[in-house]
Each structure stands twice: as C-alpha cells, then as structure tokens.
Amino acid sequence: MTDTGSNPTPETQPGHLFGPDSQFHRFFNDPRWALAMVRATVLEAAHPQIGAALIDNSTFVMHPWRRLRNTLVSLQRMFGADDDVRQREAARLNRLHTRLNGTDAQNRPYDAMDPQVRAWVVATLFESSVTMCRLSGQPLKQSAMEQLYAEFQAFLAALGDQAGHLPPTLKEFWQYYDHTVETELENTEALRIILYKLFDHLPAPPLLSGLPTVWAAGRTLAGPVIGTVTVASLPEPFRRRAGLPEIPGAQTLMHGAYMAAGLARFLPEGWIETEALTDLLYLSPDSDDPRAATIAALHSRMKRAGALFRLVTPFPAQPGFAEEAEEAEKPAPRRSAEEFFDAVLDQTGDGHLDWPDLAAMARELSTRLDLDEPEETRLYNAYAEWWKELQSALDTDGDGRISKQEYAAAVPSLAGPALIRVAEVLFEATDKNGDQRIDATEHRTLFRTAFHRTPAATDESYSRSAFVQDFLSFMSGRRHSTAYDPLLAEA
C-alpha cells in the first residue's frame, strides 16, 4: 500500500473500507487482536456511561463466551463485503442500544445511543489495534494507520452516526483520545470486574465443559497473566489516576505476550482463523458437524488428563471436580430452585432477578434467530409481560426486583399465562415458514451451538404443543436440557 500522506475517507476509497481488502479483515485473524480486544473492552468499561450500562444490562460476567461469540459475529457482519448484511446488522445494533439506558449508582444517566459514547467504543477498537502493532514491535505505517482509521469512521457512519462524532483527521483523533483518557475515564466497577474477577472466575467454554480440573489449572495460570498484561498496556495517565497496580516486570511480560502472539502469524494458513477457533470452542461433541468426532476424542483424552492431574497436584477438592468421566455418564439431575436461579434467571450475575435479566434472554434469542422488526419487539414485549407476572407474584418486599430467597420461597414451577405467551412467540419466531411445525433447519437455527451452531441432528419436526411444553418444562421445571442449557444457561 502506498503512503499517500492523506487521510482516506469513505468517499475517496469506498472499495477498501470493508471486506477482505480492508485493514480490519487482516487484523481479525491476528492472534494479537485477542489481547487488543481485551484492552479495548477495559477502556470501554472505564467510561462511566459504558461501565454503568455493562453492570446493569450485560451478561459478560455470567456468559462471557456468549458475549464474545456475539461480538465477533457482529463485527464480521459490519466489516464484511455485503452491504445489505451490514445495514441489517446496524439496524439490529441500534435497536439493541435503544433499549440500554438508565442511571448509575451515582444517579448519573447513561444511554447506549449517546453518539459520543458510541464514538468512544469505536475509538478504543481503533486505538487498541494500533497499540497492539506498536507493542509487538511492528508499528503500522502512517498510510495503513490512516486507512484503518477511515474504516472505523465508516463503521460508525454505517450505524447512522454523523462523521463529526469522531475527529476527521488522525492528528485530531490523538488529541481527542488523550483528552478522554485524562479527563473522562474512571476506575469503574465494570473495569474492576473485568480485570480482577472475570478471568479468575471465567467459566469453561463448551469445549471444556465437564472438565473443571483441566480448566481450573489453565485458568489459574492464565488469568493473572492476562490481567497483568492488560493493565500494563493501558495508558499511563489513566493507570496512575485509577490507582492500578504497578507490578515489577509487568512491562516486560506485556511486550513478550504481544510479541509471542505476533509470531503465530508464521503458522500455516488457516490454523489461527478466528472463526475456526471459535467454532471449536463452541462445538458440541454430539453435534452432526464432521469435526465432532475429533472433539469427542479430545474430550476423552482431557478427561484422562484431568484424572491424572488430580493425582499429582495438591488442588483441594471442589464441587464438580469428583470423577468427571463418571459424572458425565449419569443422567442430568434436577436443579434446585437456587441453582436454576443462578444458572438461568440471573443472566447479569448481580444476585437478583429484574428486567435486565429477562431482556438479556430476549436479546440472545433475537440474536440467535436473527429477528427483524416486528418479531423482535413481540419477543421483548412477551418477556416484559412475563416480568410483570413474576414481579407481581414473587416481589414480596416491593423493592422492584426478585431475590434468590424470594424465588426459592415461592412455588418455583411458575408457568403462568405470560410465560406460555413467551413460548408461543418464540415458537412463531422460530417457525419461519409458518407451517406450525419446527423442522430440522429451523431447529438448528435456534439451538445452534457454535458460529454454525449445529446441534445433534434431528429429522423430526417439532409441533407447537411439544415446543411449548418443553420450553415450560425447562423454564419452570428446572431440569437440565441438552437444547436449552446451551441457549440460556451456559456461558
């Protein structure tokens, strides 16, 4: 790419702003970008409005892998070559953001549609991409940096935001970025959770489900390293003002991590493609995907490794660590009311059930089914009616939310008219051809388990009554479900 010395804009170079020729497309499969994404997320969470929205509405604590998967799918759609797909995804994101508003713990308002807030999200993605190249010893040329900035400007424009919400030139951008870092960012609760809680308690991805010993061993080593690397990579003025720790050797570790990730680019082509790697994380061993046999064999080897690991390490016994292979063969036990509350109802992980938890369910289902208006609104409205029904029946102290104790003390198997309506609306949204049955293709669309999300094959169609009965059984009977656990309960 030639250095033109000018800042390319969406108007001057439209062919290279999206699609396979874009700078973003090259970064998407770069292993360093995983570190950059974590860093960008921390900088987003440090913004007071974004941090408050994450705490109140996001499922990133309880369902981080789901959040990662949906974010990657969204970025692929927005930066892909298909303009129709991009416009559809932009409309979906705007509908999602319109529903995210409120006030934080200090009674300050937040609104995910605030154009300055949206600009800051895009700014962190751009700046972290530039920084990852610099920290790994491969700084971007000026022309490449300008091209990348034009792509992120076009991304913001595709969402419908005016161009002025990001500075027009790179020189002005760096002034804007430094000013925001030094004057607006805070040591928010969301930031502290990401740095000091999320990685320490990160649940296993589907690939490693049922292997808690293996996962805990890896997480114990990797969690503190990722946190230390991320803190060391943040702008020094913010680290100082937020009181983030300075760990001896952290800068060396951080540079080493970025440089090591950069070396992965020398691996054979296709080994480090983001979509392929994420597919494997979410692929179920009993899927009809051709790779499932390999995953099943890998699971078996990991179980044996986990058993050996327990014999040679002093890890204390923990719930779920006893003989994973034997546990896997037992029929799924019935959940207690408390377990169901934690695994399914409390989607945001704040210890209470309120509207953001049910909205998160509606959001995930709408994303899975790729709903447009008005189907998406019908599903949200059905969940809103269910929330009113639950609040009326279970909120005994009148504080506007339902505690685990309030839920457990009531009749846990609540399947009133509003929940039945949720099941019916979900059936109608899944039944794309309107034949009053869910066929194998429609079944896969809802219960997919990876980017392609192929569950165990089924040739049987699903009637309305059977679907509603199974949904109610899961939501009120609290039994584990091969289909619904990955949909609403797993991370």
Side-chain angles (χ1 to χ4, degrees):
M1 184 183 298
T2 0
D3 192 341
T4 63
S6 62
N7 185 29
T9 65
E11 291 75 24
T12 58
Q13 295 189 13
H16 298 288
L17 294 172
F18 300 112
D21 294 328
S22 66
Q23 286 287 338
F24 174 85
H25 188 269
R26 298 185 185 98
F27 284 149
F28 189 75
N29 290 317
D30 191 320
R32 298 172 298 171
W33 208 61
L35 296 171
M37 281 285 286
V38 174
R39 182 180 182 277
T41 302
V42 169
L43 289 170
E44 291 172 26
H47 191 288
Q49 285 203 58
I50 299 172
L54 286 173
I55 289 296
D56 286 352
N57 301 278
S58 180
T59 62
F60 78 102
V61 173
M62 294 297 291
H63 304 283
W65 298 108
R66 177 201 298 174
R67 171 71 187 271
L68 171 64
R69 176 197 63 210
N70 290 342
T71 298
L72 292 176
V73 170
S74 181
L75 287 171
Q76 284 179 309
R77 291 171 176 173
M78 288 299 296
F79 280 94
D82 192 323
D83 192 54
D84 290 337
V85 170
R86 181 165 35 258
Q87 291 179 13
R88 196 161 182 266
E89 178 63 11
R92 187 190 72 83
L93 290 173
N94 286 334
R95 293 195 304 271
L96 185 156
H97 291 155
T98 300
R99 296 184 172 100
L100 303 180
N101 52 73
T103 55
D104 65 11
Q106 301 177 44
N107 208 33
R108 297 178 296 185
Y110 67 82
D111 184 350
M113 285 298 288
D114 184 324
Q116 297 303 327
V117 170
R118 285 152 66 96
W120 177 246
V121 172
V122 175
T124 63
L125 289 170
F126 165 72
E127 189 275 341
S128 291
S129 300
V130 172
T131 298
M132 83 173 187
C133 296
R134 180 174 56 82
L135 293 179
S136 57
Q138 304 165 39
L140 286 176
K141 293 181 179 179
Q142 183 69 16
S143 57
M145 197 185 306
E146 289 174 343
Q147 173 70 19
L148 183 63
Y149 187 55
E151 290 169 12
F152 278 104
Q153 286 177 305
F155 170 56
L156 195 61
L159 291 173
D161 290 18
Q162 296 178 6
H165 293 138
L166 274 179
T169 66
L170 264 181
K171 181 179 179 180
E172 292 170 292
F173 171 82
W174 295 120
Q175 294 171 349
Y176 150 80
Y177 177 82
D178 291 340
H179 175 77
T180 303
V181 167
E182 293 174 10
T183 62
E184 294 191 31
L185 301 192
E186 299 176 0
N187 189 352
T188 63
E189 182 183 356
L191 177 146
R192 293 191 295 273
I193 288 175
I194 294 171
L195 288 179
Y196 304 121
K197 179 181 176 183
L198 183 60
F199 293 115
D200 286 344
H201 300 86
L202 189 67
L207 174 63
L208 297 177
S209 60
L211 302 168
T213 304
V214 175
W215 175 250
R219 184 183 61 192
T220 300
L221 297 174
V225 172
I226 295 173
T228 300
V229 166
T230 303
V231 170
S233 70
L234 296 175
E236 196 277 334
F238 174 65
R239 295 203 314 267
R240 182 177 63 247
R241 195 174 74 256
L244 298 177
E246 292 284 351
I247 299 175
Q251 291 293 321
T252 302
L253 178 64
M254 179 262 295
H255 283 287
Y258 274 92
M259 294 187 73
L263 291 175
R265 71 187 187 280
F266 295 112
L267 290 172
E269 187 177 354
W271 280 32
I272 54 174
E273 288 185 0
T274 299
E275 184 172 346
L277 292 174
T278 313
D279 271 354
L280 290 178
L281 284 176
Y282 285 93
L283 192 62
S284 170
D286 60 357
S287 168
D288 58 358
D289 189 290
R291 296 166 297 177
T294 304
I295 298 300
L298 182 60
H299 259 269
S300 177
R301 289 177 180 271
M302 286 181 173
K303 285 176 180 177
R304 290 197 293 270
L308 177 62
F309 194 82
R310 288 195 303 276
L311 291 176
V312 300
T313 57
F315 270 73
Q318 298 184 33
F321 275 48
E323 299 301 332
E324 289 117 340
E326 292 181 10
E327 290 296 320
E329 295 174 0
K330 295 180 180 179
R334 186 177 175 88
R335 285 187 175 107
S336 69
E338 291 81 2
E339 289 171 334
F340 180 76
F341 187 95
D342 290 335
V344 179
L345 296 179
D346 185 14
Q347 291 280 309
T348 60
D350 63 357
H352 293 86
L353 171 62
D354 53 12
W355 167 240
D357 295 302
L358 300 193
M361 293 185 199
R363 185 165 64 243
E364 175 62 18
L365 293 168
S366 298
T367 301
R368 291 281 182 115
L369 295 171
D370 201 16
L371 298 183
D372 282 329
E373 289 281 17
E375 290 84 0
E376 181 183 285
T377 298
R378 290 181 66 226
L379 187 60
Y380 270 90
N381 288 343
Y383 268 97
E385 289 302 314
W386 186 38
W387 167 238
K388 291 177 184 176
E389 186 176 82
L390 286 172
Q391 196 175 23
S392 173
L394 303 182
D395 182 18
T396 55
D397 61 7
D399 65 352
R401 56 187 186 175
I402 299 166
S403 68
K404 188 187 304 185
Q405 293 71 29
E406 286 175 325
Y407 177 78
V411 180
S413 54
L414 291 174
L419 181 58
I420 295 172
R421 179 60 182 158
V422 170
E424 290 176 339
V425 171
L426 181 57
F427 174 86
E428 291 162 5
T430 307
D431 178 23
K432 295 293 187 182
N433 60 12
D435 65 353
Q436 297 302 303
R437 302 191 72 83
I438 293 176
D439 60 29
T441 301
E442 293 165 340
H443 186 272
R444 276 192 289 270
T445 300
L446 178 60
F447 295 113
R448 51 198 172 180
T449 56
F451 268 48
H452 303 298
R453 292 167 177 152
T454 49
T458 175
D459 295 324
E460 299 179 2
S461 60
Y462 214 1
S463 70
R464 175 188 287 265
S465 60
F467 179 90
V468 171
Q469 181 178 351
D470 284 352
F471 183 82
L472 295 179
S473 175
F474 175 74
M475 293 302 300
S476 60
R478 303 187 314 278
R479 284 198 179 278
H480 291 275
S481 164
T482 302
Y484 285 104
D485 272 337
L487 186 63
L488 293 173
E490 292 182 359

